[in-house]
Amino acid sequence: MAMREITMLTLLTFLVVGGRFVSADKVVGKEFVVTLDSSNFTDFIGRTDFIVVEFYAPWCQHCQKLEPEYEQAASILSKHDPPIILAKIDASAEINREISFEHKIAGLPTIKIFRNGGKIANEYKGPREADGIVDYVKLQLGPASVEIKSKEDTKTYIDESNIFIVGLFPSFSGVEFKNFTKLADTLRSDYAFGHTSDVRILPKGAESVVDGPTIRVLKPFDELFVDFEDFDLDEAQKFIEETSMPSLTVYDNEPQNLPYLMKYFNHEAAKAMLFVNFSSDEFATYKSKIQDVATLLKGNGTNFLIGDLEDQGGVLEYFGLTREQAPLILIQKSEEVKYMKDNLKLDQIVPWIKQYLLGKLKPFRKSQPIPEVNDEPVKVVVAYTIEEMVLNSDKNVFLEFYAPWCPHCKQLFPILEEVALNFNNDSSIVIAKLDATANDYPTKTFKLIGYPTVYFKSSTGRIFQYEGSRKKEAIIEFIAKNKDIGPDDKIFMPEDNEHEDELEGNHEQAELGSSEEPQVKDEL
């Protein structure tokens, strides 16, 4: 199957790569990006001290959008002294599958930076437009942490509009300094690092008293700087990750907000998202109110975001909502559990969030309407009917999860209709389909890594994935031999000798949400 996870990061990637952040013109002529495959990947990486590799698929829309930017960056970096190599490998090709698994490629495109002949690998987390790629990659070449000796150095190395991590040391030796260097190596893909022995030259907190080795996080939001004195690598990394996220993330098309959006959507905490029109008269009051709530609940298991309805209305579509329902607030606690309040009034924000924290809200589900007529050979299942028609049904259900745009799904549709007609006189068998882009479904029961994904649920309640041939005869034989299969019976699966292409997923995002119940703060 395609090497893709269907997670919420897709939405972010689509809006960022597909939006106004992309700027470079398409490169024509000579190709500067080196194409790798399983025959030369390991050897080529092993002979380089530093190389950037994109894992892509030819059919992936996001990869296609990135291609001219990546090629433009490769052209520029080829002139660097020494030249910097940008390469790519088709992660969807069968011959490259083991390499994709080895490097844990869960979404496309994924870019990784390999150092020391591939002994060190870091995920690329920088911009996806040509100039940004060039600047980010150049920063990755030097030492993980630079020494800051003067105020002039601070102007050179510290960008006050971004997060910067500073190690404060009386001398650049000892266990603390060694651990700080390791920390910088580990997190250099995410942050810029520096070290100094003079706190007075720093742009923030210059008047503060520092008694010993200290990690200082400089940031352009909230309290502007925070200090930490524990140099345990795990604790220090956790501290940086937590303090480098704004109490309220802004979701618009401003490039400087992109790193915080990535952190927001990748974070394990529940996500509260308020969507309003930033150009409306009421925006300032809504932002002030949600900022107050976000500040009070920071670190309490829920992260907050305010999104521009005009720029990021695609988020609403992703959740099956419309602009007419805004202002609205949506909380995603996990991939399956969400809560939503539409047509939100300013004075409803705090009471509604209190109800959420107390566990008194009814979950919201994205679902297409229940069909008024469902008499076609292949039955339509939606989120509102999946329990009745599949999970709690006493029928044998052959269920396809599909995406409307997917070419392989379109090829499978007529085959399933023929299968359904074959079992027309057997009331114990149901052939069904669910649009996985428009309906929520139990992700713990049905694990989708591409489209189409097909599951079979026997009348006795046994559920397993169908991984056989997509030919009509094979599917009919599978259903006939597995209907009413019990928990201890052996599954019959027809062999797939045709090497049919598996489906291309088109959604790439990190699993979101947290199962922990946050505690209600008295201040709220």
Side-chain angles (χ1 to χ4, degrees), residues 84-128:
I84 300 172
I85 300 174
L86 268 58
K88 65 181 180 181
I89 182 169
D90 183 353
S92 68
E94 182 66 30
I95 61 171
N96 300 326
R97 182 163 296 186
E98 288 189 13
I99 292 174
S100 298
F101 278 125
E102 178 185 351
H103 295 286
K104 300 178 181 178
I105 305 303
L108 300 176
T110 291
I111 304 175
K112 287 184 176 286
I113 297 174
F114 294 91
R115 294 181 173 85
N116 300 338
K119 294 178 181 178
I120 300 174
N122 298 108
E123 188 169 348
Y124 173 96
K125 297 182 180 180
R128 296 200 175 188

Side-chain angles (χ1 to χ4, degrees), residues 158 160 162-166 168 199 202-210 214-228 239 243-244:
I158 299 178
E160 293 191 54
N162 291 315
I163 292 172
F164 193 90
I165 316 297
V166 183
L168 299 167
V199 68
L202 297 180
K204 298 168 185 175
E207 304 301 322
S208 60
V209 177
V210 177
T214 300
I215 298 171
R216 173 164 293 182
V217 179
L218 306 177
K219 49 187 183 175
F221 52 80
D222 296 343
E223 63 270 63
L224 300 183
F225 77 92
V226 285
D227 290 346
F228 193 63
F239 168 77
T243 57
S244 62

Side-chain angles (χ1 to χ4, degrees), residues 283-302:
F283 165 65
T285 54
Y286 273 81
K287 183 179 181 182
S288 176
K289 179 63 70 174
I290 201 69
Q291 177 68 74
D292 290 343
V293 174
T295 300
L296 286 173
L297 295 181
K298 186 173 177 63
N300 204 33
T302 303

Side-chain angles (χ1 to χ4, degrees), residues 9 15 18 21 72 76 116 194 231 259 290 293 342 373 453 462 472-473 490-491 494 497 500 515:
L9 189 56
L15 290 169
F21 292 168
Q72 178 73 20
I76 296 170
N116 300 338
F231 281 81
I290 201 69
V293 174
D342 59 359
V373 179
T453 295
R462 187 168 180 182
K472 177 184 72 173
E473 295 77 13
K490 184 177 180 180
I491 299 171
N497 297 320
E500 299 163 300
S515 60

Side-chain angles (χ1 to χ4, degrees), residues 123-351:
E123 188 169 348
Y124 173 96
K125 297 182 180 180
R128 296 200 175 188
E129 46 83 24
D131 292 339
I133 293 172
V134 170
D135 292 341
Y136 183 89
V137 169
K138 286 181 177 179
L139 284 175
Q140 300 300 307
L141 276 175
S145 178
V146 296
E147 183 179 357
I148 301 173
K149 303 176 182 179
S150 63
K151 286 186 177 292
E152 288 70 25
D153 285 346
T154 64
K155 296 176 182 178
T156 300
Y157 297 118
I158 299 178
D159 179 358
E160 293 191 54
S161 64
N162 291 315
I163 292 172
F164 193 90
I165 316 297
V166 183
L168 299 167
F169 303 96
S171 63
F172 303 140
S173 61
V175 175
E176 289 89 353
F177 183 72
K178 183 178 180 180
N179 282 358
F180 180 78
T181 301
K182 290 181 180 179
L183 181 69
D185 276 326
T186 302
L187 298 180
R188 66 181 302 163
S189 294
D190 302 293
Y191 310 101
F193 282 79
H195 52 274
T196 185
S197 58
D198 188 355
V199 68
R200 296 170 299 177
I201 64 176
L202 297 180
K204 298 168 185 175
E207 304 301 322
S208 60
V209 177
V210 177
D211 295 325
T214 300
I215 298 171
R216 173 164 293 182
V217 179
L218 306 177
K219 49 187 183 175
F221 52 80
D222 296 343
E223 63 270 63
L224 300 183
F225 77 92
V226 285
D227 290 346
F228 193 63
E229 297 179 359
D230 188 344
F231 281 81
D232 176 82
L233 290 177
D234 290 337
E235 291 300 319
Q237 184 169 341
K238 180 180 178 181
F239 168 77
I240 291 172
E241 294 293 346
E242 292 298 329
T243 57
S244 62
M245 179 178 291
S247 56
L248 180 65
T249 300
V250 177
Y251 196 173
D252 56 13
N253 276 332
E254 294 300 325
Q256 65 266 25
N257 289 327
L258 176 58
Y260 309 122
L261 289 170
M262 299 293 285
K263 288 176 66 67
Y264 179 88
F265 284 110
N266 279 324
H267 201 280
E268 63 182 8
K271 289 155 184 65
M273 296 168 274
L274 171 65
F275 288 94
V276 297
N277 189 332
F278 280 20
S279 62
S280 66
D281 294 337
E282 58 189 4
F283 165 65
T285 54
Y286 273 81
K287 183 179 181 182
S288 176
K289 179 63 70 174
I290 201 69
Q291 177 68 74
D292 290 343
V293 174
T295 300
L296 286 173
L297 295 181
K298 186 173 177 63
N300 204 33
T302 303
N303 293 333
F304 286 80
L305 173 149
I306 185 167
D308 189 354
L309 184 65
E310 292 302 312
D311 284 337
Q312 306 303 345
V315 179
L316 303 184
E317 182 181 350
Y318 175 84
F319 286 108
L321 303 168
T322 66
R323 293 172 183 268
E324 288 70 31
Q325 293 174 271
L328 67 82
I329 188 168
L330 176 79
I331 296 180
Q332 184 166 26
K333 187 175 180 181
S334 69
E335 191 67 23
E336 295 185 21
V337 181
K338 297 180 285 290
Y339 306 89
M340 191 273 295
K341 171 65 177 173
D342 59 359
N343 301 310
L344 184 71
K345 305 295 184 184
L346 186 66
D347 59 2
Q348 294 176 326
I349 294 177
V350 170

